[in-house]
Amino acid sequence: MRDLGVGVRCLLAGQRWVARNGRAYGFGLLPGLITLVLYAAVLVSLALWGEDFVAWATPFADGWPGPWLGLFRGFLTAVLFALALLLAVVSFTAVTLLIGQPFYEELSERVDRSVSPDGTAPETSRPLWRDLWVSARDGLRIVARSAVWSVLLFALGFLPVVGQTVIPVVGFFVTGFFLTEELTAVALERRGVELRERLALLRDRKMLAWGFGTPLGLAFLVPFVAVFLMPGAVAGATLLARELLGEETAAVGKDGTPQETAAAEAPDGPVPGAEVAYRP
């Protein structure tokens, strides 16, 4: 249960960090807004022309009697839109992170420097194009894994009673786990931690991943909220990555907010009244 609380605290601390750093927050909003516009365009196009696409894809049904043809193609159109919406929810974080790779790398490094005892942050030695390639490759792998889980849980949702009670809860925890993996990837990739190692770290501390990702996944269900929470989620995931790797974290204020300028303002040690972060 301790890990569950630590995950939640990292999530909240990340949001507080961006609230105190307005410029970084505004900078971090851009990728989410771009992704939102792209996804909205795709979904609107699907709503307008999805029925035409289904009719083109099912020529064998052209000769069916009136009501059956309409019911069949109407059902397929609804399923197509539902799956597209599900895929959009599952892939939103991965696509936003890919589009915003330079933005979020800079944000994550700033968080690392603000809570590192020596004021430094791990830096990747790879060129930007290589970082983008690795991010896209790993993002596709995670989206594929989460899509398989999503389809499975969608199918199990038709089971009586269990499908309407247990399965949605399981779905939120699965979503939380994969959200945590995608978001911590920004900080962990800079440290040279590959996808397989990242998944192993999170599987060993599932409660930590659930405490961070599950509340975030629930918040993402509210329209447009994901866009505004993404910068803070990346900041919080950086703190979570430090926790996963057991890295020492500098002093924070009594409200739990990392003191970004502590090193500069207090050369002889932590600011008065500060305590060690995320080490209950």
Side-chain angles (χ1 to χ4, degrees), residues 77-263:
T77 302
V79 169
L80 177 64
F81 189 81
L83 287 176
L85 192 59
L86 182 64
L87 184 60
V89 172
V90 167
S91 63
F92 182 88
T93 302
V95 173
T96 303
L97 289 173
L98 178 61
I99 292 174
Q101 180 77 12
F103 300 85
Y104 294 139
E105 284 283 356
E106 173 64 22
L107 192 154
S108 179
E109 285 185 24
R110 284 192 63 185
V111 174
D112 263 327
R113 287 193 295 269
S114 73
V115 298
S116 173
D118 58 4
T120 63
E123 295 182 6
T124 179
S125 58
R126 297 184 304 224
L128 178 59
W129 70 266
R130 178 66 178 171
D131 280 336
L132 290 173
W133 162 249
V134 171
S135 180
R137 181 197 65 192
D138 291 349
L140 284 174
R141 290 176 178 175
I142 291 299
V143 168
R145 289 169 186 255
S146 56
V148 169
W149 272 97
S150 297
V151 172
L152 175 62
L153 293 171
F154 181 77
L156 292 175
F158 291 100
L159 292 175
V161 183
V162 175
Q164 292 76 51
T165 54
V166 177
I167 298 303
V169 175
V170 173
F172 285 128
F173 281 102
V174 171
T175 300
F177 180 88
F178 284 117
L179 268 178
T180 303
E181 196 291 324
E182 289 172 334
L183 289 163
T184 53
V186 177
L188 292 176
E189 281 180 0
R190 280 192 292 110
R191 292 161 166 82
V193 182
E194 298 294 335
L195 175 61
R196 184 172 297 182
E197 298 173 80
R198 298 199 299 267
L199 288 171
L201 283 170
L202 291 171
R203 288 193 191 105
D204 288 342
R205 300 185 68 178
K206 292 187 181 72
M207 297 290 281
L208 186 66
W210 290 337
F212 182 88
T214 303
L216 190 62
L218 288 168
F220 278 11
L221 292 176
V222 181
F224 310 118
V225 164
V227 175
F228 297 101
L229 292 185
M230 274 297 291
V234 172
T238 302
L239 300 173
L240 191 75
R242 299 180 67 90
E243 172 70 26
L244 281 170
L245 298 177
E247 295 180 2
E248 185 180 355
T249 302
V252 297
K254 290 183 178 180
D255 64 350
T257 305
Q259 300 296 303
E260 184 180 14
T261 58

Side-chain angles (χ1 to χ4, degrees), residues 42-99:
V42 171
L43 291 173
V44 168
S45 299
L46 198 58
L48 293 175
W49 296 293
E51 190 172 351
D52 294 337
F53 174 77
V54 169
W56 171 82
T58 56
F60 58 86
D62 288 342
W64 289 13
W68 298 112
L69 175 62
L71 287 173
F72 174 68
R73 285 181 171 167
F75 173 75
L76 287 184
T77 302
V79 169
L80 177 64
F81 189 81
L83 287 176
L85 192 59
L86 182 64
L87 184 60
V89 172
V90 167
S91 63
F92 182 88
T93 302
V95 173
T96 303
L97 289 173
L98 178 61
I99 292 174

